[in-house]
Amino acid sequence: MKKNSPRTASLWFAGALYFNSALLLLATPIFTRLLTPAEYGTVVLYTSLSTILGIFATLSLSSGVYNIAQIELKSELTQYTSSMLALSTLATLVTLGVFMLAGQFYPSLMGLPPHLLALMFVTFVFNAAFLFWQSQQRFNYQYKAVVAIGVLGSLLGVGMAIYFTRALDGYRVESRIFFAALPNLAVGAWLYVSLLMRGAVLYSARYWKFALALGMPLLPHYLAQAFVLQFDRFTIEAALGKASVGVYGLAAAVSSGLVLLTTAINTTWVPWMLRKLHDNHHEDIVRRATDLMAVTATIAAVLSLLAPEIVHLLAPPTYGLAAGVIPLLLVAGHVQFIQSILLNLEFRHKRVYFITGASIFAAAVNVGLNLTLVPRYGVQAAAVTLLATQVAQCALYYGVTRWRKDVRVLSARYAVASSVIAGLAALLAIASADNLPQRLEGMALALLALGGFALVRHRRQSAA
């Protein structure tokens, strides 16, 4: 299989993800007007519950463990993949059974209509195949099929969701969720059959043991990470109602542009970084990480300072509070990217128990702060909590890598500097929400500071 360059693949993956993100943002003004804030909040809750239950339903087998398998089981990957699909399907059925049984005793756990829950679990089965195939393509920098399917799927999904949300007035929430997911669901069903037939292995004690030995200790990690990123929605719903969830969901949708970029970067960054670590080219990693931190900080600062205008374009005045939430979530997204660089190093050394322990600690802090602060201070407190959690977890990862005397994969100085610049821009955006000239001045200063950041880095590289 011919490999494309990591840079070319990264650009295409990032471009496709940004196209999808831009399409969803362009459609947001339509959905926020077709759906009430409470209905929009239901869509957000569906997504959050899907994220959490999906960890149990798929065991996150297509994540870090699968990347390791693509190196260590390269010659057996087709058989391993079909075996993982069977294991994932079994996990989905078990999760469905446990969830339905628990719902008999605690009806509030259900939270969603039965037909939406059924859709969710069908999606788990077929989406697993899509994620395995996507991971293979990205690991080998094969971007063409992934980009084509992603772009076409988004166009069809968003188009159908808008049409049927308008047409089926009594099923607006269902139409928004189902039709947006339908194209990828159809592709996933085809891939599910294809990958099973190609690998022709449903059960292999060796493959299942390999996956579960690495994956099961990481399951609490993935669950804890999901709680860090999703628990705030449930706290807001319980304390403030679904309309407030809709406001927070809009802020999260805007800030997701940065998260999508870092996701695109990570899909090619991880295999590139693993190969650089294997070849002992550590300084290459530090240089690339510094450049990427400057990019994510720039995006966070610019979007933060334009948050009021973005909200005004995307939604009616009932969503206005989102402008004070977006900047905080953007800074959290920047810190999350820094954290992911350090996390990849821990994955490389298979330190699954430390990764899990750190994530459980972060989740406990996040849950405690959300339960304490959100009922008292409102939606903005959830964003502050997420940012504080990401900073604490990032500091923990860095401290442990220094304590273990691991190779450097980033410059702490540049990580702190980029985060401070993004944080100051966020504070200015919140304090000057009604003063566009002041925010534009702040944007110019932030860009100047980040330009100086990049200049110093390149001068030091040249000197070295």
Side-chain angles (χ1 to χ4, degrees), residues 82 90 117 122 135 190 223:
S82 65
L90 176 62
L117 288 172
V122 169
S135 179
W190 180 82
L223 180 62

Side-chain angles (χ1 to χ4, degrees), residues 419-438:
S419 300
V420 167
I421 293 170
L424 290 174
L427 291 175
L428 178 61
I430 295 169
S432 306
D434 298 324
N435 191 333
L436 178 59
Q438 192 172 28

